[in-house]
Amino acid sequence: MHRSRSYYIRLAGTIAAIGNLILCAIKLLFGWKTGSLAVIGDGIDSSTDVLIALTAIFVSGIVAQPGDSDHPWGHGRAETTATLILSCVIFYAGLQLTITSISSIIKGKIASEISWLAVAAAAISICGKALLALSQFAIAKISDSEIVKANAENMKSDIILSAGVLAGLLASHFFAQPLLDPICAILVGFWVIKNAVRLFKEINLELMDGNADNSLYKKLFAAASSVPGVKNPHRARIRKIASCFDIDLDIEVDPAMTVYDAHELCEQVEEAVMEKIDNVYGIVVHIEPEGSADHQREEEYGLTPDAVK
């Protein structure tokens, strides 16, 4: 049975929220009982994953709404806005963990020994995150949702993170160096901050209608040039709305061409582009008489084929 994209976003969010909530509770409880800052830090990281999952559930209802007079392009950007806010929350959590860990070293508040309970928490986290990552990647493939894809990649990174915590705890135990625990927690904090900054940069690019994938422009120009009668495709602009692309393109045609024929040519260009690029939300093709670009002022927006080689 066909399911809507919002259904899969909601499904992925529900699975991630429940799974991460369980892992978060285990790690925070075990970390508190053993005094391990590294395990507590891993638990804080899982708490941010719960926030991401809950946001995905909330956003799924918004993005499913059709366009209206206030939002003629639909509500897809709600996913982007929510993810941007989450990046700031994640950054704050990582910063607080780092500051707390550094403070514990300076004040000498370090656990005297590492409990096997903390080691068990890290091992459980690795297994749990692996199962969650597999589920998120499977749903992301079906839904083609950016927030689910981002969460799946985040889960995969968390496996490495928990493995690092486990290695630090084992090293602390076998080498009798409890100081390695807060040091490991600091590294976890840096990891969380790095992921927050990366997420912020990616989402900010989308909000500014940017696109760092030049391969899309190459496909666009190749598709337009493949249509007989199309000359000098230029001033191309591709922006992202959730998981879809909104495209603008200028082309030149024979000045003697009728309006009807020019319109038919535009439709052929649109069909060619949609065959080359997946998830196209909309295409606007602007017609110009051949040679007109040579007499216009220098264009301030859009790309030419030379700009993406």
Side-chain angles (χ1 to χ4, degrees):
M1 186 174 71
H2 173 71
R3 301 283 190 178
S4 67
R5 180 167 167 269
S6 62
Y7 165 83
Y8 287 110
I9 295 175
R10 187 163 56 251
L11 175 63
T14 302
I15 293 172
I18 295 172
N20 279 300
L21 187 60
I22 294 171
L23 291 176
C24 175
I26 291 173
K27 286 185 279 190
L28 289 178
L29 177 62
F30 285 17
W32 173 70
K33 279 187 170 295
T34 61
S36 171
L37 289 175
V39 174
I40 292 175
D42 202 4
I44 291 174
D45 180 66
S46 290
S47 70
T48 63
D49 292 336
V50 174
L51 286 176
I52 293 175
L54 292 176
T55 301
I57 296 172
F58 173 73
V59 166
S60 66
I62 299 178
V63 299
Q65 298 176 19
D68 51 36
S69 58
D70 292 329
H71 307 89
W73 274 279
H75 297 77
R77 281 282 172 85
E79 185 177 335
T80 310
T81 304
T83 307
L84 183 71
I85 295 172
L86 277 175
S87 70
C88 297
V89 174
I90 294 170
F91 179 89
Y92 177 77
L95 184 62
Q96 283 294 104
L97 173 61
T98 303
I99 293 173
T100 302
S101 302
I102 292 174
S103 176
S104 69
I105 294 175
I106 294 173
K107 295 178 179 178
K109 295 181 179 179
I110 303 172
S112 58
E113 60 179 300
I114 299 301
S115 169
W116 284 107
L117 198 60
V119 174
I124 292 171
S125 177
I126 293 173
C127 296
K129 288 292 185 179
L131 292 174
L132 287 173
L134 288 173
S135 69
Q136 297 298 300
F137 275 115
I139 297 174
K141 186 176 181 180
I142 298 172
S143 65
D144 195 30
S145 165
E146 288 303 312
I147 196 167
V148 178
K149 287 179 183 177
N151 208 13
E153 289 293 337
N154 184 43
M155 299 291 180
K156 187 171 72 173
S157 298
D158 286 344
I159 297 172
I160 302 173
L161 176 64
S162 294
V165 171
L166 179 60
L169 291 172
L170 290 174
S172 298
H173 177 78
F174 287 112
F175 295 104
Q177 292 292 333
L179 182 63
L180 291 175
D181 180 64
I183 291 176
C184 187
I186 292 172
L187 295 177
V188 171
F190 285 154
W191 177 279
V192 174
I193 290 172
K194 179 186 75 69
N195 285 338
V197 171
R198 175 187 55 78
L199 185 60
F200 179 87
K201 289 172 65 177
E202 291 175 358
I203 295 302
N204 189 56
L205 180 67
E206 182 179 333
L207 285 174
M208 294 182 68
D209 289 335
N211 177 45
D213 187 1
N214 277 349
S215 66
L216 290 173
Y217 283 101
K218 291 178 181 179
K219 291 178 182 179
L220 174 60
F221 288 125
S225 299
S226 68
V227 178
V230 172
K231 302 172 184 178
N232 188 28
H234 60 287
R235 208 183 184 196
R237 285 155 289 171
I238 300 177
R239 64 173 177 171
K240 200 171 186 183
I241 301 178
S243 62
C244 300
F245 298 105
D246 186 42
I247 300 173
D248 290 87
L249 178 69
D250 288 15
I251 62 173
E252 294 184 359
V253 300
D254 184 344
M257 185 176 287
T258 65
V259 172
Y260 178 84
D261 289 337
H263 174 73
E264 290 294 307
L265 194 64
C266 283
E267 291 197 342
Q268 293 177 39
V269 170
E270 291 174 5
E271 291 174 2
V273 170
M274 286 190 285
E275 287 179 4
K276 290 276 189 180
I277 301 176
D278 295 327
N279 300 324
V280 174
Y281 175 82
I283 308 174
V284 175
V285 181
H286 178 240
I287 294 290
E288 298 175 354
E290 185 179 1
S292 64
D294 298 333
H295 305 289
Q296 294 178 354
R297 64 181 177 83
E298 184 177 351
E299 293 169 336
E300 298 177 356
Y301 307 105
L303 300 179
T304 62
D306 292 337
V308 295
K309 287 183 178 178

